[in-house]
Amino acid sequence: MKKIVLATRNKDKIKEIKNIFKILDLKDVELLTISDFANVPEVEEDGKTLKDNAIKKAKVVGNYTGLPALSEDTGLFVEYLNGAPGIYSARYADKNAKKHTATYEDNCKKLIKELDGVEWEKRKAEFICLSALYDPKKNKCYTRKGVIKGYISINPSGSKGFGYDPVFYFPEKQKTFAEISSEEKNLLSHRFLAIKQIVKLIKNLN
Ligand code: IMP
């Protein structure tokens, strides 16, 4: 049985990644999380790109545990805002740059406000998920990207999912990500598209 450690503390992401692994029916892999180990160092997400942050998280956790580590960094890139909130998606509505206090709801509210009065065609947005797999035995890191395109809704809608899901309108389903079931989201999301490619790499790990 191969052991892989998920290099994230975000419970919402852990839930989705575990579900995606189930969907992809990966055999002989045991998914561990940071909480299965004592005193795993905190990782400061201070990279300039999603890729930098994902690699940093996977390397810190992989080197600490001695096991292959899977991480991901995700951002919502809004065209009208020149790509904001982007890599700062988690901290978008923070009042103080040094202290992370913004909730998912604060971030959604700020985004809706920034786009107040902006016409539909200019509300294009994409979720980008950058996933990294680091193998500490070989000191090798692989990255894969998943992208999904949609629009920022006029108002938040739906109570499923997390983060910006209530304001991310997905045209193919004519619903926001918070209005579709977790099963549906996990079959088509940016996270699914990135992890699906990483799973192929996991199969080749010795
Ligand atoms: P990070 O990858 O932990 O830096 O996440 C950045 C932020 O993006 C999170 O705090 C969430 O607000 C948001 N986010 C990440 N993944 C998703 C998703 O699948 N749906 C909605 N929001 C997400």
Side-chain angles (χ1 to χ4, degrees), residues 8 10 12-21 24 70-75 104 127-131 144-148 161-163 165 177 185-199:
T8 177
N10 182 321
D12 297 304
K13 286 187 180 181
I14 293 173
K15 204 167 138 197
E16 286 196 2
I17 295 169
K18 284 189 167 173
N19 189 240
I20 290 168
F21 266 66
L24 294 169
L70 188 165
S71 71
E72 61 101 302
D73 204 41
T74 295
Y104 291 152
F127 269 125
I128 303 183
C129 174
L130 214 298
S131 181
R144 293 292 183 269
K145 188 159 99 170
V147 183
I148 194 98
F162 70 99
D165 282 344
F177 264 10
K185 180 185 172 194
N186 290 331
L187 266 173
L188 56 82
S189 72
H190 45 298
R191 186 160 291 108
F192 170 76
L193 297 171
I195 304 275
K196 188 168 81 166
Q197 301 174 68
I198 289 283
V199 157

Side-chain angles (χ1 to χ4, degrees), residues 90-162:
R91 294 166 266 167
Y92 189 45
D94 276 357
K95 299 252 165 12
N96 177 336
K98 291 200 181 106
K99 218 169 153 201
H100 174 50
T101 51
T103 62
Y104 291 152
E105 201 186 337
D106 295 337
N107 287 335
C108 287
K109 267 194 192 152
K110 179 170 175 184
L111 189 55
I112 294 291
K113 212 170 146 206
E114 293 288 325
L115 293 184
D116 187 29
V118 174
E119 64 186 90
W120 188 248
E121 266 318 303
K122 292 194 173 151
R123 304 175 76 95
K124 288 197 180 92
E126 51 188 32
F127 269 125
I128 303 183
C129 174
L130 214 298
S131 181
L133 178 70
Y134 174 67
D135 180 355
K137 271 196 232 144
K138 295 190 178 138
N139 189 23
K140 272 203 161 167
C141 197
Y142 311 87
T143 59
R144 293 292 183 269
K145 188 159 99 170
V147 183
I148 194 98
K149 290 178 189 297
Y151 293 81
I152 301 305
S153 58
I154 307 290
N155 292 303
S157 186
S159 55
K160 301 182 184 93
F162 70 99

Side-chain angles (χ1 to χ4, degrees), residues 9-87:
R9 288 186 163 83
N10 182 321
K11 290 196 174 65
D12 297 304
K13 286 187 180 181
I14 293 173
K15 204 167 138 197
E16 286 196 2
I17 295 169
K18 284 189 167 173
N19 189 240
I20 290 168
F21 266 66
K22 232 184 229 163
I23 290 168
L24 294 169
D25 197 23
L26 194 59
K27 304 266 188 318
D28 299 328
V29 171
E30 187 184 354
L31 263 191
L32 303 171
T33 62
I34 287 174
S35 47
D36 292 310
F37 301 86
N39 309 319
V40 178
E42 288 280 346
V43 184
E44 204 192 333
E45 297 189 20
D46 55 2
K48 288 200 170 61
T49 61
L50 297 176
K51 194 169 172 176
D52 289 347
N53 285 335
I55 290 174
K56 189 175 179 193
K57 288 188 262 191
K59 282 194 170 173
V60 168
V61 174
N63 284 328
Y64 183 82
T65 60
L67 293 170
L70 188 165
S71 71
E72 61 101 302
D73 204 41
T74 295
L76 177 64
F77 295 75
V78 180
E79 198 176 286
Y80 182 78
L81 301 175
N82 299 315
I87 61 163

